[in-house]
Amino acid sequence: MRRQEAHGERRPEMATDEPGPEASAGAPGQDAGVVPGADAGVVAAGAPTTAVVDVLVVGAGITGIYALYRAREAGFSALLVEAGAGVGGTWFWNRYPGARFDSESYTYGYLFSEELFDEWEWQEHFAGQPEIERYLNHVVDRFDLRRDIRLGARVRAALYDDRAGTWRVTVDDGSAVTAWFLIAATGVLSVPHFPDVPGREGFQGEQHHTGLWPSEPVHFAGRRVAVVGTGSSGVQLVPVVAAEAASLTVYQRTANWCTPLNNAPITPSEQARLRSEFDAIRHTLNTSASGFLHVPHDRATFDDAAEERLAFYEKMWNSPGFSKLTSHYTDLLFDPAANDEWCAFIAAKVRSIVEDPATAERLIPNDHRYGEHRPPFVAGYYEAYNRPNVSLVDLKQTPIVGVTERGIETADGLRQFDIIVWATGFDFGTGALLRMGVRGRRGVALEERWADGPRTFLGVQTAGFPNFFFPGGPHAAAGNNPRYNGDQVDFIIDLLTFARRNGYATIEVDPAAEAEWTAMVDRGATRSPSFSEASYYFGTNIPGKPRRYLLNSAGRRKLFKEIAKVVQDNYKVFGLSPAPADALTPSRQA
Ligand code: NA7
């Protein structure tokens, strides 16, 4: 048997008369010669050929990197394939000027290693994209993960082989991978959405999507620029472009309740405090409902007198990032009157910042309350409209008619541009999973099974797709994403380890448990506090997409509770079965 260089650690117990990886990968249906934890004779990462691994991770974002780390630490052979030319996922693709965290840097990064936490000094409370990308590259090198990462490799198809119990995954670099377990860490904001505007392809200038930003710098200086979209990405980009471009025209369909991010450098004494409080920080982040460090408030709006409320709102306005949601009055999202007061406060701020009253009015939302859409956090956004080179077009009054070779035509005429930036969002939640050619038992397509929206158990598995997991996908988070996604990765790797220890190779969730979790998500989505149906969390920004809730409406505590129950019950909710009869016994026990 020709054995190629193993990319994982060499397994001394692997006898040479065992079926080779090429045979296994070439025809898993006839040759199920590998079980999890047993031989994983795989090829070097980067080689466009065939590999066999215990765990194949798709996506080198923050979740995928962690899944690779955990899988390897648990003794599984693992490979990660990533479509991008670098690691980082969202933080690789969204490299537009102004892109940055709006969760505190040290709450978003990894917590599995105190050494890592100690040695990486985030420069700002809310790091910008270049620093985030550097951090993720550092993690990959620090834990020697790069040797198991293949970049520039987009998954084209993932087929479950009923007979062998393995996944056969084909990648667009010409390679194929056979894996026992397939972990799609493909992200929720990874398929950019371009609006279906007539003539878009024919524009003769430059055009970019914030979520597909090129590595080479885009030069705005002296150019006429359009930014379409005023979600979190658009409002981060606008002040940066405004400072450089000859002119900037912002096309807004829906105004958002933007409040200041209140970023700042992390001082040496703060760095020292972060280090010394690592255990407490990790504990809070690993247990809090939101996955943030912010301390919840203990008062409701009308517990305070008008004057006290004003002082509190001022304090909130000046507080960092999401604390405006997590540390606000307890009834902010439950009592419309309470919410209206906060909105009135923000509206007054907008009017006080934006000099042109008509522009100010257009920037104030009139169709949703605070928290019904994902709130963006800004630095210099409203101020940008005071520059003479910046103007705002309200698409509700003058909708886009089309894009011509020279610019954007709205109901009130054509404006000419050198650059158009589409900050128009993503096919959230399910976009990437449904484009990966996933076929489960009996060839059933994931897009068929989810034709009416995703059905999941804990946002990690769907029935009929054994050994297929999707942490950080639909029904996953409702707070600081990496914390939820990390909980799911931990759960999955622990489950895989349990299965291996007990001689199981096939893991498939009970459809009844899936139905229950999905119904719970749907029920919660109609209750306060929830995002409105107009938000992309219901998929409504994508024409034809089923209107189903895509987050975990019950929150993290419910996830914890369910996980504890499942573990306590020895994972019985998952159908666990041994590998096909001719497969090897797992060689390693956890
Ligand atoms: P978002 O938040 O989905 O924002 C997309 C923006 O693009 C939003 O203002 C949309 O207006 C606008 N949009 C979408 N389609 C159109 C069309 N056809 N015409 C005009 N305007 C349009 O995406 P972001 O990238 O800003 O943020 C995504 C996430 O990244 C964010 O939530 C954070 O988690 C980080 P609409 O509101 O739909 O009227």
Side-chain angles (χ1 to χ4, degrees):
M1 182 185 82
R2 185 171 61 86
R3 176 168 297 281
Q4 303 191 41
E5 193 189 333
H7 81 128
E9 67 189 81
R10 191 65 197 263
R11 314 250 167 139
E13 67 274 25
M14 180 61 202
T16 51
D17 58 352
E18 286 165 359
E22 296 84 1
S24 209
Q30 294 122 42
D31 184 358
V34 194
V35 295
D39 173 41
V42 291
V43 294
T49 178
T50 299
V52 180
V53 286
D54 294 333
V55 176
L56 177 66
V57 179
V58 185
I62 198 151
T63 307
I65 291 170
Y66 184 52
L68 175 63
Y69 169 80
R70 280 285 335 257
R72 258 188 24 188
E73 287 294 295
F76 293 103
S77 67
L79 176 68
L80 185 155
V81 292
E82 159 60 52
V87 303
T90 289
W91 299 107
F92 172 82
W93 296 104
N94 286 266
R95 50 204 312 121
Y96 59 87
R100 69 172 61 248
F101 282 154
D102 48 21
S103 298
E104 281 80 355
S105 311
Y106 34 88
T107 72
Y108 201 97
Y110 297 110
L111 300 171
F112 64 82
S113 159
E114 183 164 3
E115 293 75 28
L116 172 66
F117 192 88
D118 274 357
E119 73 200 14
W120 184 268
E121 288 204 340
W122 291 103
Q123 295 305 297
E124 295 176 276
H125 284 278
F126 300 94
Q129 182 277 335
E131 189 182 4
I132 302 164
E133 194 181 5
R134 280 200 301 280
Y135 169 76
L136 292 171
N137 274 281
H138 169 74
V139 171
V140 161
D141 292 326
R142 167 79 168 71
F143 296 97
D144 191 24
L145 300 174
R146 206 174 289 275
R147 67 188 158 93
D148 291 329
I149 295 178
R150 193 185 292 169
L151 297 171
R154 183 181 290 278
V155 170
R156 287 291 174 216
L159 314 180
Y160 183 68
D161 184 326
D162 279 287
R163 188 158 162 223
T166 53
W167 282 89
R168 168 88 169 172
V169 177
T170 50
V171 180
D172 68 355
D173 63 2
S175 67
V177 182
T178 295
W180 275 100
F181 303 112
L182 177 59
I183 300 183
T186 42
V188 282
L189 293 161
S190 45
V191 176
H193 167 62
F194 287 91
D196 189 15
V197 175
R200 189 171 56 75
E201 305 291 342
F203 177 62
Q204 294 296 299
E206 263 181 68
Q207 49 180 330
H208 303 286
H209 191 289
T210 48
L212 272 178
W213 203 259
S215 301
E216 312 76 47
V218 174
H219 299 289
F220 294 109
R223 327 257 317 259
R224 298 163 303 174
V225 182
V227 171
V228 185
T230 52
S232 298
S233 305
V235 301
Q236 283 188 332
L237 178 72
V238 160
V240 185
V241 178
E244 289 179 31
S247 70
L248 168 62
T249 308
V250 181
Y251 288 84
Q252 169 191 277
R253 191 166 63 182
T254 308
N256 264 311
W257 294 110
C258 302
T259 55
L261 179 64
N262 294 317
N263 192 17
I266 303 180
T267 64
S269 66
E270 285 171 331
Q271 298 282 12
R273 190 175 48 76
L274 284 169
R275 283 203 185 91
S276 69
E277 292 178 1
F278 174 72
D279 284 335
I281 289 172
R282 178 161 64 179
H283 176 75
T284 303
L285 293 174
N286 281 346
T287 53
S288 66
S290 60
F292 287 105
L293 293 175
H294 312 142
V295 180
H297 196 37
D298 56 1
R299 293 176 73 76
T301 304
F302 302 106
D303 291 346
D304 283 347
E307 211 169 287
E308 291 164 320
R309 295 202 293 274
L310 197 59
F312 179 77
Y313 292 146
E314 198 63 44
K315 187 175 141 202
M316 282 290 103
W317 179 262
N318 292 310
S319 72
F322 273 100
S323 55
K324 294 169 201 75
L325 265 179
T326 55
S327 305
H328 215 291
Y329 284 125
T330 50
D331 55 354
L332 174 74
L333 302 179
F334 296 92
D335 179 354
N339 197 306
D340 285 347
E341 265 225 8
W342 169 237
C343 290
F345 174 86
I346 301 175
K349 284 284 187 195
V350 176
R351 291 186 186 108
S352 74
I353 299 170
V354 179
E355 288 159 10
D356 173 43
T359 304
E361 290 314 309
R362 287 203 293 272
L363 287 166
I364 297 168
N366 55 17
D367 58 359
H368 65 279
R369 293 195 168 89
Y370 190 81
E372 287 181 13
H373 291 185
R374 199 269 196 199
F377 300 101
V378 292
Y381 175 64
Y382 292 123
E383 291 81 350
Y385 291 96
N386 294 336
R387 302 178 73 104
N389 63 332
V390 178
S391 54
L392 179 68
V393 175
D394 183 346
L395 293 176
K396 289 217 164 116
Q397 302 208 327
T398 53
I400 295 182
V401 176
V403 174
T404 72
E405 289 184 1
R406 305 162 69 126
I408 297 177
E409 191 172 353
T410 45
D412 61 345
L414 173 73
R415 291 175 182 82
Q416 298 192 14
F417 299 109
D418 303 305
I419 303 175
I420 299 176
V421 177
W422 301 97
T424 43
F426 298 85
D427 184 350
F428 183 83
T430 51
L433 288 172
L434 296 182
R435 284 171 175 78
M436 225 169 62
V438 181
R439 302 286 176 269
R441 281 198 192 284
R442 294 173 291 284
V444 171
L446 186 61
E447 46 288 17
E448 221 174 283
R449 178 119 217 291
W450 286 4
D452 297 329
R455 296 192 237 170
T456 82
F457 178 60
L458 309 182
V460 298
Q461 225 197 14
T462 189
F465 294 73
N467 293 0
F468 174 58
F469 303 92
F470 39 86
H475 298 176
N480 191 11
N481 272 356
R483 305 280 69 89
Y484 276 79
N485 304 352
D487 298 336
Q488 292 182 309
V489 168
D490 288 338
F491 174 73
I492 292 164
I493 301 297
D494 291 349
L495 168 57
L496 266 48
T497 305
F498 175 88
R500 178 181 59 190
R501 188 188 308 130
N502 291 284
Y504 298 120
T506 305
I507 303 170
E508 183 176 359
V509 72
D510 175 8
E514 174 200 89
E516 205 176 307
W517 180 264
T518 304
M520 184 276 301
V521 165
D522 288 341
R523 272 197 313 276
T526 60
R527 284 201 292 260
S528 284
S530 175
F531 294 103
S532 88
E533 282 207 33
S535 83
Y536 66 77
Y537 293 125
F538 281 84
T540 35
N541 61 329
I542 305 297
K545 190 165 171 165
R547 188 172 286 218
R548 296 294 288 273
Y549 197 56
L550 297 164
L551 297 175
N552 166 9
S553 62
R556 197 180 186 200
R557 295 258 154 78
K558 174 74 176 169
L559 184 68
F560 285 156
K561 215 166 122 194
E562 283 300 310
I563 285 178
K565 226 162 71 187
V566 172
V567 173
Q568 165 89 20
D569 209 22
N570 281 330
Y571 300 94
K572 280 213 185 70
V573 72
F574 291 95
L576 298 171
S577 46
D582 54 345
L584 301 175
T585 311
S587 61
R588 292 212 239 171
Q589 304 297 314

